Amino acid sequence: MVDVRMLPAGEDNEIALTLDELAREGARRMIAAALRAEADEYVERFSDELDEDGHRLVVRNGRARERRVTVGSGTLPVRAPRVNDQRVDEETGERQRFSSKILPAYARRSPKVTEVLPILYLRGLSTGDFRPALEGLLGEDASGLSSSTISRLCKEWEAHHERFRKRLLSFSRYAYLFVDGVHVSVRLGEDDKLCLLVVIGVREDGTKELLAVEDGYRESKDSWAGVLRDLKRRGLNEPKLVIGDGALGTWAALRDVFPGAGEQRCWVHKTANVLDCLPKRLQPRAKGLLHEIVEAPTRRDAKLALEVFREEFGAKYPKALSKLDDDWKPLTAFYDFPAEHWRHLRTTNPIESSFATVKLRTRVTKGAGSKAAALAMAYKLLDAAQERWRRFNGHELIADVLNGATFKDGVKVTDDEAATQDERVAA
């Protein structure tokens, strides 16, 4: 095996160039083979459909003109196969057409490349810098990445976000909401920082759905109230539980707009806040105890684990303990919901993980950015991430939650058990 580090600089560069060329040639051949297979499958599917003279109505028809397509391995020349489809739709009278799902008509870049663009913008890259920044990776003739194209995409994404903000929400019921404020300090200048207020809902079928991406002032009560009222005006039902961090404005607004909704604090945020109150040498032990609390099988077991934490850290580090005591009820609200849902309900991870690819809390990159553009880019980032969000475990139980079923320590309580509990409370 040749150690590239031991070769002269010229040979090293030559091998690197060869690797890039091999990667691009391999990608080009794979795309060509996939396009041929797709076209052949389409033709074969309708091979039995013949015209009056016994000729096939669907046949291959050469190849289209070459176009350059930008994918993750670079910009490649591609000639897609053409299909001559003579079939006519009996209802509409229109000619049928073959449309490639792998390479749609007029496509010039892969969806993965498109997803990179909002990330780069939020990191502070101006529209004029996109092409030179990506030329080294995607080739000097990176298709569809000129500054004018990027500017046009920005405008399109702003229009998409505006339509998203106006859509009706009364067609689905939402059991849970995840809410979080994501602070963006890029491209807007020192005095014009942006806080994204993000809301994700969980539908009755267990699917997570992006509901809001708005700007707000430091997660204030008024900002959150405006977002929640707008969602309610567009048909959002009162959720059974809302999951978020400890920002006071969020919860004050929730009590005004959806007073019947339960509150669940995010354990990831809370763990970080507690550990910040302890010296580093004690943090591994404290983190283990916090894990025992949050993973406890019942609310009573969680309380017992809290007392262990109190015995070890309460006397010397009362601030760490107070962060748990003050929010104990909203920290353990998940026990009143199906155990299958607990892993989802204890954290705002759907929002946090979606922004993990871009560190928004970075130093300001000064530039002529706008709030509308930053909002649109953040919306596109989350919209693309939706496809990767996990469906809720135990999604069949969400209907029970929406219909008001009672759960104790994650287990559904029968009507007789619920009546007995009510009698005990009354006594």
Side-chain angles (χ1 to χ4, degrees):
M1 180 179 293
V2 178
D3 189 343
V4 175
R5 294 172 297 178
M6 301 300 293
L7 294 174
E11 294 182 39
D12 193 353
N13 291 337
E14 189 173 330
I15 288 178
L17 288 173
T18 302
L19 288 175
D20 284 338
E21 292 169 359
L22 284 172
R24 289 172 183 169
E25 178 61 18
R28 187 193 66 78
R29 292 186 181 186
M30 288 179 65
I31 292 172
L35 291 172
R36 285 196 302 270
E38 182 186 36
D40 289 343
E41 189 278 332
Y42 185 87
V43 171
E44 181 63 26
R45 194 191 322 162
F46 302 107
S47 60
D48 294 335
E49 299 197 24
L50 310 175
D51 62 15
E52 296 177 353
D53 298 324
H55 299 142
R56 287 188 178 187
L57 291 174
V58 182
V59 296
R60 284 281 298 273
N61 187 26
R63 292 190 295 171
R65 286 189 297 178
E66 182 180 289
R67 54 173 151 158
R68 303 189 71 78
V69 180
T70 299
V71 297
S73 57
T75 301
L76 314 171
V78 175
R79 293 189 65 187
R82 293 191 303 188
V83 173
N84 184 8
D85 193 340
Q86 298 290 334
R87 294 175 304 127
V88 177
D89 189 299
E90 295 181 358
E91 295 183 1
T92 64
E94 296 181 355
R95 280 273 304 274
Q96 299 293 310
R97 290 183 180 275
F98 166 70
S99 178
S100 173
K101 294 182 179 179
I102 298 173
L103 186 65
Y106 309 112
R108 289 295 182 270
R109 59 189 170 275
S110 73
K112 289 298 180 184
V113 172
T114 301
E115 285 181 27
V116 169
L117 304 184
I119 296 175
L120 294 177
Y121 185 92
L122 289 173
R123 289 297 299 268
L125 199 65
S126 65
T127 55
D129 291 333
F130 273 83
R131 188 181 181 101
L134 293 174
E135 276 183 355
L137 176 64
L138 303 178
E140 294 183 359
D141 56 349
S143 302
L145 294 178
S146 66
S147 58
S148 61
T149 302
I150 299 298
S151 297
R152 177 176 54 78
L153 282 173
C154 290
K155 292 299 181 183
E156 288 181 4
W157 290 339
E158 286 180 36
H160 294 169
H161 182 230
E162 195 58 34
R163 290 195 295 270
F164 165 79
R165 299 167 83 177
K166 295 178 180 179
R167 66 194 182 96
L168 293 178
L169 301 173
S170 53
F171 300 104
S172 300
R173 292 197 300 167
Y174 301 86
Y176 307 118
L177 296 184
F178 295 90
V179 300
D180 199 4
V182 183
H183 296 271
V184 184
S185 56
V186 293
R187 291 195 44 75
L188 301 178
E190 290 284 359
D191 300 323
D192 195 17
K193 298 178 182 180
L194 183 67
C195 178
L196 301 173
L197 305 184
V198 180
V199 181
I200 294 173
V202 180
R203 298 199 304 254
E204 190 168 355
D205 64 356
T207 302
K208 302 185 187 83
E209 178 184 345
L210 182 63
L211 298 181
V213 183
E214 299 291 342
D215 64 317
Y217 179 72
R218 296 181 181 177
E219 299 188 69
S220 68
K221 174 186 175 182
D222 291 342
S223 296
W224 272 114
V227 173
L228 295 175
R229 287 196 186 100
D230 180 64
L231 293 175
K232 185 176 182 180
R233 178 184 59 78
R234 290 191 279 129
L236 180 70
N237 61 285
E238 182 170 75
K240 295 300 181 179
L241 187 68
V242 177
I243 303 94
D245 65 12
L248 297 178
T250 307
W251 306 111
L254 180 67
R255 295 180 198 114
D256 282 351
V257 182
F258 294 120
E263 302 175 15
Q264 171 65 48
R265 298 293 188 272
C266 172
W267 269 96
V268 172
H269 286 89
K270 182 59 66 176
T271 297
N273 293 338
V274 172
L275 294 180
D276 282 344
C277 298
L278 299 170
K280 287 188 176 181
R281 62 184 175 81
L282 297 178
Q283 289 182 8
R285 170 60 178 166
K287 190 174 183 179
L289 292 177
L290 291 171
H291 182 75
E292 291 182 15
I293 295 173
V294 72
E295 294 290 341
T298 68
R299 185 181 269 110
R300 180 177 179 276
D301 291 324
K303 187 68 174 177
L304 292 174
L306 173 65
E307 295 309 311
V308 174
F309 187 94
R310 187 188 310 278
E311 290 178 7
E312 291 203 25
F313 301 107
K316 292 185 177 181
Y317 307 99
K319 288 186 178 179
L321 188 64
S322 67
K323 292 185 179 296
L324 295 173
D325 286 337
D326 294 347
D327 283 337
W328 185 248
K329 184 176 179 180
L331 280 171
T332 56
F334 66 88
Y335 284 108
D336 295 326
F337 294 86
E340 291 85 347
H341 298 173
W342 288 359
R343 64 176 299 174
H344 303 282
L345 300 180
R346 290 183 292 220
T347 173
T348 54
N349 185 61
I351 298 175
E352 295 289 330
S353 60
S354 297
F355 280 110
T357 52
V358 51
K359 296 181 179 178
L360 298 177
R361 295 173 177 84
T362 57
R363 66 179 180 84
V364 176
T365 302
K366 296 180 180 179
S370 69
K371 284 189 176 182
L375 274 171
M377 293 295 178
Y379 160 68
K380 292 304 295 184
L381 191 65
L382 286 164
D383 185 47
Q386 278 192 99
E387 299 178 3
R388 300 186 293 271
W389 288 344
R390 283 191 56 191
R391 189 183 189 186
F392 252 51
N393 294 343
H395 57 86
E396 67 278 359
L397 297 171
I398 294 180
D400 291 336
V401 172
L402 283 166
N403 293 331
T406 301
F407 291 83
K408 180 180 179 182
D409 291 329
V411 180
K412 186 177 179 180
V413 178
T414 64
D415 293 339
D416 292 339
E417 291 173 329
T420 302
Q421 288 184 7
D422 292 341
E423 291 174 0
R424 290 174 180 172
V425 172

